[in-house]
Amino acid sequence: MLYIMTAIAFESKHDTITIPRDLFEDMLSSYHKMDQIMATLEVSLDTETMNLIKRSKEDIENGDFMDCSFDEIDDVLA
């Protein structure tokens, strides 16, 4: 059985489709870009998160932070 879908032909065999690898990679890349855009919009529209980001920027500008390595985080937060 041959299907035509928006100028892309594929053959259905046992509930599977075959598409060119480069097309699949383009589709996957588009999905990841859209996922990143959605995550950015979620953060941007969350007032509480945006206020925390603004406060953190102000803390950094004022030198109100501690510099530590990843291994030291638990000690710094204690």
Side-chain angles (χ1 to χ4, degrees):
M1 202 178 264
L2 184 64
Y3 297 94
I4 305 291
M5 192 168 102
T6 59
I8 299 172
F10 61 91
E11 189 174 333
S12 176
K13 295 179 182 178
H14 309 289
D15 295 331
T16 63
I17 61 171
T18 303
I19 60 173
R21 180 179 295 274
D22 59 339
L23 176 60
F24 177 76
E25 289 171 355
D26 287 346
M27 291 168 47
L28 191 58
S29 174
S30 295
Y31 169 78
H32 287 300
K33 287 177 187 176
M34 184 57 72
D35 190 48
Q36 291 171 343
I37 290 169
M38 294 302 293
T40 301
L41 288 173
E42 286 179 19
V43 169
S44 298
L45 294 173
D46 186 334
T47 306
E48 184 178 348
T49 301
M50 291 306 295
N51 287 336
L52 289 170
I53 291 171
K54 180 180 178 184
R55 197 170 357 170
S56 295
K57 284 183 174 183
E58 292 170 354
D59 287 344
I60 291 170
E61 289 171 0
N62 295 331
D64 216 2
F65 63 92
M66 296 181 89
D67 193 10
C68 66
S69 70
F70 185 76
D71 296 330
E72 299 170 319
I73 289 176
D74 288 335
D75 294 334
V76 169
L77 295 177

